[in-house]
Amino acid sequence: MSGLMDLYLSDTGIGDLSPVAGLLDLVQLVFSGTRVTDLSPVAGLSAMARLEFAGTGVTDLAPLTGLLGSARLNLSDTDVTNLSAIAGILGMQRLAFSRTGVTDLSALAELRVLTDLHLSGTGVTDIVQLKGRVWLRTLDLSGTTPMRWAHICAGWKPG
């Protein structure tokens, strides 16, 4: 299927992404609510701009390290605990990791174009890494207990 750009596989029951490994033109891949646990097949898909795998068994984001163009990433409702593998995705605009085991936001330090951040229901208690992020337009802290957050409001500028 050369030329395939968008592939939606949500709620299909698939468990293996191996068939997508050769789809080099793939821009959007959505497989939320599936049995997928391994992201390795998407490692070489450099055209990827949107990747959504909420509600899957994924725990390791390491295969995403080279996806520099991914603008949208949704890993909510997974067992992911570490975001360090996505620290280099500098074009990230929307990131959702609600209801995951993530507690540390330091991997987001260099994501300068991030406009939407959803971390509801996580164990994040300190959002000081977001200080000065005036480009953020949406910040979802629902169900968290951030200790220090007043500086976020103080630094906000109208869009």
Side-chain angles (χ1 to χ4, degrees):
M1 268 196 250
S2 178
L4 185 64
M5 296 177 70
D6 303 326
L7 183 57
Y8 300 91
L9 299 167
S10 294
D11 301 315
T12 59
I14 65 163
D16 180 17
L17 287 178
S18 296
V20 305
L23 299 176
L24 301 179
D25 295 327
L26 206 56
V27 174
Q28 296 190 73
L29 177 59
V30 180
F31 54 96
S32 298
T34 63
R35 296 180 295 116
V36 171
T37 58
D38 180 19
L39 295 177
S40 296
V42 303
L45 304 180
S46 59
M48 190 67 62
R50 176 183 175 202
L51 186 59
E52 295 190 19
F53 50 94
T56 65
V58 171
T59 59
D60 183 15
L61 299 180
L64 304 184
T65 302
L67 296 182
L68 302 178
S70 292
R72 295 176 60 185
L73 181 61
N74 184 349
L75 54 118
S76 297
D77 299 304
T78 64
D79 291 327
V80 170
T81 59
N82 188 329
L83 298 176
S84 61
I86 63 167
I89 305 178
L90 303 179
M92 183 80 65
Q93 295 172 352
R94 184 182 190 283
L95 176 60
F97 54 93
S98 298
R99 295 166 306 282
T100 64
V102 173
T103 58
D104 180 14
L105 299 181
S106 59
L108 308 183
E110 299 303 318
L111 303 184
R112 303 276 184 221
V113 297
L114 190 63
T115 58
D116 295 83
L117 181 58
H118 302 266
L119 53 119
S120 63
T122 64
V124 172
T125 58
D126 189 357
I127 58 173
V128 70
Q129 294 92 340
L130 301 179
K131 185 176 183 175
R133 301 302 171 119
V134 295
W135 53 86
L136 269 177
R137 297 294 174 245
T138 302
L139 178 59
D140 185 355
L141 299 172
S142 305
T144 64
T145 55
M147 305 287 182
R148 297 181 286 168
W149 64 275
H151 60 276
I152 296 294
C153 297
W156 225 285
K157 296 179 184 175

